[in-house]
Amino acid sequence: MSFSLESTKELLIFLGKSLFSILEALLFQVIPKPRKNVAGEIVLITGAGSGLGRLLALQFARLGSVLVLWDVNKETNEETLRMAQEAGATRVHAYPCDCSRKEEVYRVADQVKREVGDVSILINNAGIVTGKKFLDCPDELMEKSLDVNFKAHLWTYKAFLPTMIANNHGHLVCISSSAGLIGINGLADYCASKSAAFGFAESIFMETFAQKRKGIKTTIVCPFFIKTGMFEGCTTKCPTVLPILDLEYAARKIVDAILQEQTYLYMPSSLYFLVFLKSFLPIKTRMLIADYMGIIHIMDSFTGPKKKP
Ligand SMILES: NC(=O)c1ccc[n+]([C@@H]2O[C@H](COP(=O)([O-])OP(=O)(O)OC[C@H]3O[C@@H](n4cnc5c(N)ncnc54)[C@H](O)[C@@H]3O)[C@@H](O)[C@H]2O)c1
């Protein structure tokens, strides 16, 4: 009897808290969630030398954060540093770092800790795409995709998470992709790496939650194509449902999600619905939709990032 009373009480508390969490989420659809203050926070962005990484750096510069910029390309990274200073950042540090090399990540991370301090917002953004069919893709390129797009996240977390746990303060941001949610023809290694990055970030989110480290937040970002040149040549057959995202818009949405401590951000929002459909529709129907929307052949016109002259 006492067991059933205890389990009824537990069930009622669970239902009450669940209802409250749903109402809270609905409320924040109507009134915007308050944004946290990131002035003075040490924000590390990998792949800061161009595209999304650069734009994120400029946004955090305007918010008064201390910036740590990593990129394998020293020249473009320093260009971002200068642009961040022009945007108002007073403390910006650029480090050349090849995130695909574990020892280099650990070495540069130690340098950052000594020279700048404890990173409190880590944005794993560096990424590459091969854009080749699986059997045409050389092994080294597939390994590189996994090293940059996924394994680098393991090493950066290893380097910076312990201090976040000790301080119960931090934010882990994973730039994954819509290709981490849905497998795409012609993007096997990229999809695998982005899906791994997603799974890893979500697992660490669960791990810190289980350890009651409520001060450590996670944001996992899954965008469709963004106009950065990474997916040069690719087009969309359904621009109303799946538009190619404007870079400024994507960066603003990501920063907003970080400031509002949003755990998942899919862009455009139609992706939430497509992922929901994927979870229950018959496979034939899913393939018809994918074909109708041009998703099956979306990589056919891929030409890849333009090489700098
Ligand atoms: N552009 C898109 O359509 C799109 C869509 C979904 C997700 N994403 C993801 O967004 C992120 C940013 O992409 P982007 O479009 O700005 O691409 P981008 O090519 O403009 O920028 C990527 C940056 O990462 C750097 N980089 C590459 N390899 C590196 C390494 N080994 N170590 C350190 N830095 C390295 C590059 O030098 C470059 O500055 C990537 O993770 C990408 O996969 C992009």
Side-chain angles (χ1 to χ4, degrees):
M1 182 67 183
S2 82
F3 172 76
S4 86
L5 259 181
E6 205 38 52
S7 26
T8 312
K9 188 176 144 200
E10 202 182 319
L11 177 68
L12 286 176
I13 292 175
F14 157 71
L15 289 174
K17 283 187 173 174
S18 302
L19 182 66
F20 179 78
S21 66
I22 292 170
L23 291 176
E24 188 187 43
L26 286 175
L27 181 72
F28 286 134
Q29 293 294 317
V30 185
I31 52 159
K33 212 172 167 190
R35 285 163 170 72
K36 69 176 169 188
N37 182 2
V38 290
E41 298 283 346
I42 302 182
V43 181
L44 188 154
I45 304 169
T46 69
S50 69
L52 198 51
R54 173 171 284 173
L55 265 271
L56 292 174
L58 298 184
Q59 298 239 1
F60 279 102
R62 290 182 200 112
L63 293 166
S65 305
V66 178
L67 293 174
V68 178
L69 312 174
W70 282 12
D71 204 289
V72 68
N73 187 328
K74 186 171 188 280
E75 208 175 291
T76 58
N77 203 28
E78 280 173 2
E79 216 169 283
T80 305
L81 175 137
R82 284 189 291 278
M83 291 166 80
Q85 285 169 333
E86 279 163 25
T90 49
R91 290 183 64 196
V92 200
H93 310 261
Y95 295 86
C97 180
D98 181 344
C99 298
S100 68
R101 296 173 187 270
K102 178 171 73 171
E103 299 311 331
E104 194 165 328
V105 169
Y106 288 160
R107 181 182 55 75
V108 183
D110 282 343
Q111 200 182 342
V112 169
K113 287 177 207 171
R114 281 195 312 273
E115 295 174 0
V116 189
D118 295 330
V119 168
S120 52
I121 302 182
L122 169 64
I123 307 181
N124 271 307
N125 163 78
I128 54 168
V129 62
T130 51
K132 293 187 189 306
K133 294 262 191 291
F134 175 63
L135 292 178
D136 299 334
C137 190
D139 294 356
E140 317 78 78
L141 285 188
M142 283 193 287
E143 275 169 351
K144 194 77 179 170
S145 289
L146 284 158
D147 286 345
V148 181
N149 298 354
F150 162 53
K151 281 159 87 182
H153 298 205
L154 307 179
W155 322 137
T156 53
Y157 271 51
K158 272 273 173 77
F160 298 112
L161 183 59
T163 315
M164 292 188 191
I165 291 177
N167 299 338
N168 191 22
H169 177 74
H171 202 135
L172 301 160
V173 182
C174 164
I175 307 295
S176 177
S177 167
S178 54
L181 302 168
I182 299 170
I184 303 292
N185 167 27
L187 266 183
D189 56 327
Y190 186 81
C191 288
S193 66
K194 289 297 182 179
S195 172
F198 186 111
F200 169 67
E202 196 171 52
S203 299
I204 300 300
F205 165 67
M206 297 294 272
E207 210 168 295
T208 50
F209 180 85
Q211 291 167 358
K212 300 200 178 357
R213 287 290 182 264
K214 291 198 172 158
I216 302 175
K217 309 294 174 188
T218 292
T219 298
I220 304 173
V221 183
C222 296
F224 181 61
F225 292 144
I226 309 169
K227 282 179 209 148
T228 63
M230 181 182 239
F231 284 91
E232 197 65 38
C234 293
T235 51
T236 175
K237 198 176 153 194
C238 286
T240 340
V241 184
L242 280 180
I244 295 187
L245 303 163
D246 175 66
L247 177 56
E248 287 272 352
Y249 167 84
R252 212 173 43 245
K253 290 285 282 184
I254 294 169
V255 172
D256 262 355
I258 297 170
L259 300 184
Q260 296 182 310
E261 298 180 340
Q262 190 178 327
T263 309
Y264 301 99
L265 172 67
Y266 298 177
M267 295 185 286
S269 40
S270 59
L271 272 180
Y272 294 100
F273 185 60
L274 291 175
V275 171
F276 171 64
L277 289 183
K278 182 189 164 185
S279 68
F280 70 93
L281 278 182
I283 186 68
K284 279 189 184 168
T285 323
R286 276 171 52 189
M287 296 314 280
L288 283 168
I289 295 175
D291 194 26
Y292 178 75
M293 293 182 74
I295 294 169
I296 294 180
H297 296 288
I298 205 153
M299 286 298 291
D300 287 3
S301 51
F302 173 81
T303 52
K306 283 199 188 93
K307 297 258 178 307
K308 289 214 169 124

